[in-house]
Amino acid sequence: MTSDKSFYEFISNGVPGPEQKVDADNAIMPARKLAFSRFKELGLPTVKTEEWRYTNIQRFLKDAFTLAQEEQGAVTAEQLSNAGIPQLDSYRAVLVNGRLQANLSTLPSGGKITVSKISDAAGNTQLQAWFDKHPHLQSQPFAALNAALFADGLFIEAGVNAALDKPIHIIHVYTASANAFIQPRHLVLLHKSATLEIIESAIGLNDAAITFVNGVTEVVLEENAELWHYNIQSTIKNSRHIYHTSATQKADSRYHHFNFTLPSAELTRNNLSVALTGSNTETNLHGLYLATGSQHVDNHTFVDHLVANCNSNELYKGVLLDDANGVFTGKIHVHQDAQKTNAFQQNNNLLMSEKANINSQPQLEIYADDVKCSHGFTVGRFSEESLFYLRSRGIGEEAAKSLLVNAFAFDITDQVHIPALQDFLADKIRQYVAGAINN
Amino acid sequence: MLTIKNLHAEVDGKKILKGINLEIRKGEMHAIMGPNGSGKSSLSSVLAGRENYTVTEGEVIFEGKNLLDLSPEDRAREGLFLAFQYPVEIPGVSNLHFLKTALNEIRTYHNLPPLESKEFLKLTKEKQQLVDFNANLMNRSLNEGFSGGEKKRNEVFQLAMLDPKLAILDETDSGLDIDALRIVAAGVNKLRNADKAFMVITHYQRLLEYIVPDFVHVLYNGQIVKTGTKELALELEEKGYDWLKEEVHQKESV
């Protein structure tokens, strides 16, 4: 295939449509069909589409893909060990090419928190009530495509007042030996006053073929619920990722989301959006992207203040090396009724090479008159004086740069409440800096 | 310990050092004085290895090694320390973590195992008391939000922790009030011993009332134009630098 038209044709005609899908999810089949016609209507974005101006998605869709999912079997416990986070004590849900593998997983059981395949839970009325309903997903072609043709994914439900003793770690393993277009999908539903921590990460086992992942996670926080949601993106070079994470927050709920985009997927496009439908909510969106080579990292965020007295705070920081390209678009919409809103947004970048590039655009739309909102954007280079200061104390160049990148990222990593995850990230930063110096 | 021979250096094509000769032996305290722009801070920068300086002529031998061949970190590991005129603030790097990293990098260079946390903390406490450094500042980010005096005291604390053979203090006294100056000077005096040497760069004689030098050198126009004992500093305080400048120009015209 050589153009988006052919990718579009391939999706529309070349593969079985939703009506032919045989997964046991008949109850959500109408939703799939609806999504499919929505996708056809929206069409694929081009660089003329405002939200895709700085990310030419066409060039990432040129290759021939297959939607056929390879079944499990090839993944061994040893291969999985590379996907872990050392010292992390957690439940574990392992998904191979988007499908949950019970034999490789350790799921919470017997309590008020259930983790199941979305296909198995298709009859669940709660799932049906929320599935593909998030308002922000309705205009997103890739989200529509996912809803129509997603492979499988998780339905995580936490009952009233439920809490777990440790986080749930969702590990994606991608095994494709031929170019594959894989579409996982989750729905996370926390009922009143429930609390949960979720870490999601991915590994690719085969660098010979291209893995294109188009994932969607919907999050629903009922009154007073709290979710810590960590997304770690550190897969193989030959992979391309588009994620939509869309959350709905009801009154008094708290949502803490983290996007860590690390080397070395060639494309990462994150669409993160939060709809604040109840008052007195707290939303913290943290992002850290460390890009190298010719990586393209695009973060689109949208905080939708629909009602009064909500607080949102967003901090995205990036370090870019080599020819890496970064995009940040942060939209805050404060509706007329959303008085007493506090909405803050900050994007800071550190460029470590002449050729690295960042496009950052804050978009504030404020229709209420009694609000506190701010946004800021900085781009800087490495401080030579700081580097010299550290080196003059006997600290080698690599360790000094590592200290400085860690310091730059500190505002973000300091917010991580899981020590093993903090250590893991510090280690990733060390590796990133070491790679930068040895290049 | 340190031998500087005919050292010439420039920055952005501008000649700054024009033939410095200096010999420092262990246990000695040398003061470098001179008017603004004479090259005092440049000398310290060249010795510590600041990258925007280009050495065009001459050599520097430190403990038998060619100092100019070494990276800034290796100079520090060989026992050279520069107390900065303007210490850098690094938010997000804690003072303690920074010192531990530095200390262990130096130990690794000398094939020593890293210090155990317990030993490190013991050493920290000991040195912090020795140079009267506020313990509350140790867990804070490196120099972030420190007052001018606190930054300079942190330089002396680092000096105490890293225990170099040769310490260069670059205008450590400038901008300090008298109380802070006394504390800084007392710290330095406690660190003086028969094996350690100091090069104290200052614009003002005041510091030398608290840190008494063995030698005073006057730097002017990139060269050491006069060397004497502490009495020379007093003379400079009284008469200023103009008489020296005239002397130099007379010599040149002869």
Side-chain angles (χ1 to χ4, degrees):
Chain A
M1 268 165 285
T2 53
S3 71
D4 76 295
K5 195 170 173 239
S6 50
F7 178 81
Y8 181 75
E9 277 168 7
F10 148 73
I11 291 293
S12 308
N13 309 316
V15 298
E19 55 281 347
Q20 278 109 351
K21 285 208 54 116
V22 289
D23 280 333
D25 60 353
N26 290 327
I28 52 174
M29 193 59 79
R32 278 184 181 277
K33 280 187 185 166
L34 241 122
F36 197 63
S37 48
R38 202 168 75 228
F39 168 69
K40 284 184 157 181
E41 217 171 276
L42 292 166
L44 285 170
T46 69
V47 284
K48 287 180 184 144
T49 315
E50 180 57 30
E51 289 196 15
W52 293 83
R53 252 175 85 187
Y54 298 109
T55 300
N56 180 1
I57 196 66
Q58 312 289 341
R59 72 184 171 99
F60 295 106
L61 291 171
K62 277 191 305 205
D63 309 88
F65 291 102
T66 166
L67 278 183
Q69 309 294 320
E70 287 179 40
E71 283 308 319
Q72 65 173 119
V75 180
T76 63
E78 197 191 340
Q79 286 169 319
L80 254 189
S81 67
N82 296 326
I85 291 169
Q87 312 299 325
L88 175 70
D89 186 17
S90 69
Y91 296 99
R92 210 176 225 208
V94 177
L95 282 76
V96 177
N97 300 323
R99 293 175 203 272
L100 178 68
Q101 305 300 323
N103 58 325
L104 298 171
S105 304
T106 316
L107 302 174
S109 63
K112 287 194 278 187
I113 293 176
T114 55
V115 178
S116 47
K117 282 186 183 184
I118 212 164
S119 55
D120 288 346
N124 183 306
T125 51
Q126 290 291 339
L127 174 70
Q128 286 164 18
W130 290 104
F131 179 83
D132 201 31
K133 293 293 193 302
H134 198 284
H136 300 161
L137 291 179
Q138 307 307 315
S139 59
Q140 301 293 328
F142 285 98
L145 182 61
N146 175 291
L149 298 171
F150 71 90
D152 206 341
L154 301 177
F155 176 50
I156 299 176
E157 187 177 16
V160 175
N161 294 341
L164 275 183
D165 52 338
K166 51 192 180 184
I168 298 173
H169 185 190
I170 302 170
I171 301 174
H172 288 276
V173 183
Y174 298 113
T175 64
S177 55
N179 292 356
F181 195 86
I182 299 170
Q183 306 196 81
R185 185 176 190 103
H186 310 312
L187 178 64
V188 179
L189 171 57
L190 270 61
H191 291 283
K192 199 160 85 177
S193 301
T195 304
L196 201 58
E197 288 177 301
I198 294 177
I199 302 167
E200 191 161 3
S201 67
I203 57 161
L205 296 182
N206 196 338
D207 219 344
I210 302 164
T211 304
F212 198 122
V213 178
N214 176 34
V216 172
T217 299
E218 284 181 279
V219 172
V220 180
L221 302 183
E222 300 272 16
E223 281 80 8
N224 201 36
E226 178 164 27
L227 179 63
W228 291 81
H229 195 180
Y230 303 94
N231 190 14
I232 299 158
Q233 307 172 323
S234 61
T235 55
I236 46 177
K237 187 163 185 278
N238 219 355
S239 64
R240 302 162 187 179
H241 303 260
I242 299 177
Y243 294 95
H244 286 83
T245 304
S246 290
T248 302
Q249 284 189 253
K250 293 197 183 173
D252 305 319
S253 63
R254 284 138 351 250
Y255 185 47
H256 316 274
H257 184 274
F258 296 79
N259 262 330
F260 294 103
T261 309
L262 307 168
S264 52
E266 54 188 355
L267 166 72
T268 305
R269 162 69 181 241
N270 292 313
N271 300 270
L272 171 63
S273 69
V274 187
L276 307 173
T277 63
S279 65
N280 194 35
T281 58
E282 188 185 323
T283 310
N284 294 306
L285 308 180
H286 299 289
L288 177 68
Y289 42 99
L290 308 177
T292 176
S294 57
Q295 272 191 285
H296 184 95
V297 179
D298 178 351
N299 279 293
H300 263 66
T301 65
F302 177 23
V303 182
D304 204 6
H305 282 265
L306 294 150
V307 297
N309 294 305
C310 293
N311 305 291
S312 70
N313 189 21
E314 178 173 12
L315 178 61
Y316 268 67
K317 286 191 155 192
V319 185
L320 302 165
L321 274 172
D322 306 329
D323 300 320
N325 206 6
V327 182
F328 174 82
T329 304
K331 186 172 169 183
I332 299 174
H333 190 138
V334 181
H335 292 256
Q336 203 171 353
D337 292 339
Q339 300 293 358
K340 306 283 180 194
T341 287
N342 286 322
F344 306 110
Q345 180 194 91
Q346 184 74 31
N347 174 227
N348 304 116
N349 297 279
L350 191 57
L351 299 186
M352 287 173 73
S353 99
E354 293 293 323
K355 286 184 285 180
N357 188 45
I358 174 82
N359 281 296
S360 178
Q361 42 178 6
Q363 298 176 340
L364 269 64
E365 287 181 42
I366 301 168
Y367 300 99
D369 52 17
D370 184 15
V371 300
K372 278 187 201 146
C373 295
S374 73
H375 66 87
F377 161 67
T378 65
V379 55
R381 300 205 176 266
F382 235 36
S383 159
E384 289 297 328
E385 186 63 11
S386 300
L387 195 58
F388 177 63
Y389 189 70
L390 296 174
R391 293 177 73 188
S392 79
R393 296 298 180 255
I395 300 173
E397 191 180 352
E398 183 177 319
K401 283 189 171 168
S402 187
L403 266 179
L404 290 176
V405 173
N406 260 306
F408 177 76
F410 179 76
D411 301 350
I412 309 286
T413 52
D414 188 46
Q415 296 300 316
V416 172
H417 282 197
I418 302 170
L421 187 52
Q422 273 191 336
D423 292 346
F424 173 82
L425 290 166
D427 202 45
K428 287 286 179 190
I429 291 171
R430 256 194 304 280
Q431 286 172 24
Y432 171 76
V433 173
I437 286 168
N438 296 332
N439 262 337
Chain B
M1 176 180 284
L2 182 79
T3 308
I4 303 175
K5 282 187 198 156
N6 192 30
L7 182 65
H8 288 70
E10 52 184 56
V11 62
D12 299 330
K14 194 177 170 224
K15 291 186 174 66
I16 305 285
L17 301 182
K18 301 169 185 173
I20 303 265
N21 290 291
L22 184 62
E23 174 86 36
I24 297 180
R25 283 171 295 267
K26 63 181 188 177
E28 293 178 348
M29 173 75 69
H30 290 246
I32 310 272
M33 300 187 71
N36 287 329
S38 58
K40 300 189 300 287
S41 286
S42 295
L43 176 61
S44 69
S45 291
V46 169
L47 293 177
R50 200 184 280 274
E51 271 165 4
N52 51 340
Y53 286 84
T54 314
V55 173
T56 50
E57 214 183 316
E59 64 171 8
V60 180
I61 305 298
F62 177 59
E63 292 284 84
K65 292 197 170 143
N66 190 343
L67 188 76
L68 302 176
D69 286 348
L70 302 176
S71 64
E73 55 267 38
D74 281 351
R75 295 179 195 200
R77 293 160 180 171
E78 289 289 346
L80 184 83
F81 181 93
L82 169 65
F84 278 51
Q85 183 177 2
Y86 305 109
V88 179
E89 295 191 14
I90 309 186
V93 175
S94 89
N95 224 354
L96 271 184
H97 181 60
F98 154 72
L99 270 174
K100 197 174 182 185
T101 307
L103 204 57
N104 284 336
E105 289 243 335
I106 293 169
R107 289 177 65 89
T108 305
Y109 183 79
H110 295 287
N111 294 317
L112 293 167
L115 273 187
E116 300 280 333
S117 287
K118 216 174 143 187
E119 294 170 83
F120 173 74
L121 287 175
K122 192 173 156 238
L123 183 70
T124 306
K125 200 169 175 194
E126 187 190 308
K127 300 295 185 187
Q128 169 243 320
Q129 284 168 350
L130 182 71
V131 300
D132 196 10
F133 185 67
N134 186 344
N136 293 333
L137 297 175
M138 291 202 296
N139 282 313
R140 295 243 310 257
S141 281
L142 183 51
N143 290 328
E144 192 191 23
F146 286 25
S147 69
E150 285 169 339
K151 282 180 186 167
K152 296 296 176 79
R153 285 163 72 174
N154 197 11
E155 295 293 288
V156 177
F157 172 55
Q158 290 174 29
L159 165 59
M161 287 294 291
L162 300 181
D163 194 25
K165 292 173 185 156
L166 172 65
I168 304 169
L169 309 185
D170 186 7
E171 302 210 15
T172 300
D173 55 323
S174 58
L176 288 191
D177 62 51
I178 189 69
D179 292 334
L181 180 75
R182 280 191 184 124
I183 293 168
V184 162
V188 170
N189 285 330
K190 281 182 196 158
L191 296 170
R192 281 179 88 161
N193 64 43
D195 293 320
K196 209 187 283 299
F198 286 85
M199 181 196 283
V200 178
I201 294 170
T202 181
H203 188 68
Y204 304 105
Q205 186 268 341
R206 185 180 67 161
L207 176 70
L208 305 182
E209 289 185 6
Y210 299 93
I211 299 176
V212 181
D214 299 308
F215 300 96
V216 175
H217 311 276
V218 180
L219 199 60
Y220 175 62
N221 197 19
Q223 289 182 320
I224 290 176
V225 294
K226 202 168 184 76
T227 293
T229 55
K230 61 181 180 188
E231 283 74 25
L232 175 60
L234 285 170
E235 200 176 345
L236 287 168
E237 180 74 2
E238 214 173 286
K239 292 160 58 181
Y241 289 105
D242 289 346
W243 63 279
L244 263 177
K245 290 181 190 172
E246 277 164 30
E247 229 180 76
V248 172
H249 291 306
Q250 273 167 15
K251 261 188 220 165
E252 275 171 1
S253 54
V254 169

